[in-house]
Amino acid sequence: MHIAILGGTGPQGKGLGFRFALAGHDIAIGSRSADRAAATADELRPRIVDGGAVGSGANIDIIDDADLILLSVPYEGQVDLLRSLAEPLAGRLVISCVNPLGFDGKGPHALAVPEGSAAEQAAVALPDSTIVAAFHHLSAPSLLEDGPLHDESVLVCGDDAEAKQQIIDLAAVTALRGGVDAGPLRNAQQIEAMTAVLIGINKAYKARSGIAIAGL
Ligand SMILES: NC(=O)c1ccc[n+]([C@@H]2O[C@H](COP(=O)([O-])OP(=O)(O)OC[C@H]3O[C@@H](n4cnc5c(N)ncnc54)[C@H](OP(=O)(O)O)[C@@H]3O)[C@@H](O)[C@H]2O)c1
């Protein structure tokens, strides 16, 4: 597949893009600045041997050729970006890994999102796109290291069964246990919020924790 990554200059977009490209998918790193996107693509390219192609461009310029679009920008910036891209994203499959989190004296916590979750907010901003939520619990440093996939699952939720299955299949190249059907898009609220708990665990145990679904 050809996967465009909006905000691909950040650690999460870069890490997921690295794993997609290692597995043979073509990726395009997107940014508000084509130069920043090119610098990130140049950084990744030498690390992808026998994998997919690594392209780059301004966010708006990488959408047309893509089979999938990964949204990997901070929650605070997503609505403005998505509204500006609503037309080119119409009819397209958009994956959200966005976690709406705040940090205070007690540590990380889930922010209240009027639409329910960041993914549902994306669905409202992009009424003509299909939104699937996934990859919220994978740690960017783990994705970016040269090593085997971590023993964890990827919870995938969405309202379009075919699109959701496509991302469940894709998740197999990002985590050892692959993707798990986590229900409709409204479940993104719980999935996104769980990230605050994992970050707290990481801090307490100096670890990179993840979710592994047992009993399947
Ligand atoms: N980091 C993790 O381990 C991790 C794990 C799971 C999920 N996530 C989620 O994945 C998303 C990306 O995480 P990240 O750590 O890579 O984030 P980040 O570094 O803060 O942001 C990613 C990229 O988004 C772009 N960006 C920043 N502010 C923007 C705005 N207002 N409008 C449009 N674009 C903006 C920037 O690219 P340009 O300046 O080049 O445009 C930036 O490099 C977040 O929603 C996060 O919650 C992160």
Side-chain angles (χ1 to χ4, degrees):
M1 280 186 292
H2 186 117
I3 304 170
I5 306 173
L6 307 178
T9 52
Q12 187 67 354
K14 199 169 20 168
L16 285 166
F18 177 57
R19 294 295 173 168
F20 295 152
L22 278 183
H25 298 295
D26 293 340
I27 62 164
I29 298 290
S31 166
R32 290 168 294 181
S33 146
D35 287 347
R36 269 202 300 279
T40 299
D42 289 346
E43 201 186 306
L44 283 180
R45 211 172 283 118
R47 298 182 59 199
I48 319 277
V49 181
D50 289 335
V54 182
S56 65
N59 287 322
I60 192 161
D61 294 329
I62 61 166
I63 294 171
D64 273 1
D65 293 336
D67 302 305
L68 297 177
I69 295 99
L70 172 69
L71 174 64
S72 187
V73 300
Y75 166 64
E76 292 74 14
Q78 78 160 7
V79 165
D80 287 346
L81 177 71
L82 293 178
R83 284 190 186 136
S84 73
L85 299 177
E87 205 177 302
L89 289 174
R92 318 301 289 276
L93 171 49
V94 178
I95 314 160
S96 169
C97 65
V98 175
N99 288 312
L101 298 178
F103 296 83
D104 62 15
K106 289 185 182 173
H109 59 95
L111 297 176
V113 180
E115 295 82 356
S117 62
E120 289 165 289
Q121 185 179 82
V124 171
L126 301 174
D128 299 320
S129 307
T130 300
I131 312 295
V132 170
F135 306 120
H136 303 84
H137 303 144
L138 300 186
S139 126
S142 299
L143 289 166
L144 269 169
E145 67 194 9
D146 288 306
L149 297 177
H150 283 223
D151 183 18
E152 56 192 316
S153 309
V154 175
L155 300 184
V156 184
C157 65
D159 295 332
D160 181 306
E162 199 181 316
K164 183 164 55 173
Q165 188 58 51
Q166 203 177 339
I167 307 311
I168 291 170
D169 295 342
L170 176 67
V173 305
T174 65
L176 203 58
R177 294 185 186 221
V180 173
D181 186 341
L185 197 67
R186 67 181 181 197
N187 286 359
Q189 187 181 28
Q190 285 73 31
I191 292 171
E192 292 168 6
M194 186 66 193
T195 309
V197 179
L198 293 176
I199 295 172
I201 291 170
N202 291 347
K203 216 168 166 195
Y205 289 84
K206 300 192 186 342
R208 286 187 206 151
S209 60
I211 300 266
I213 301 298
L216 296 180

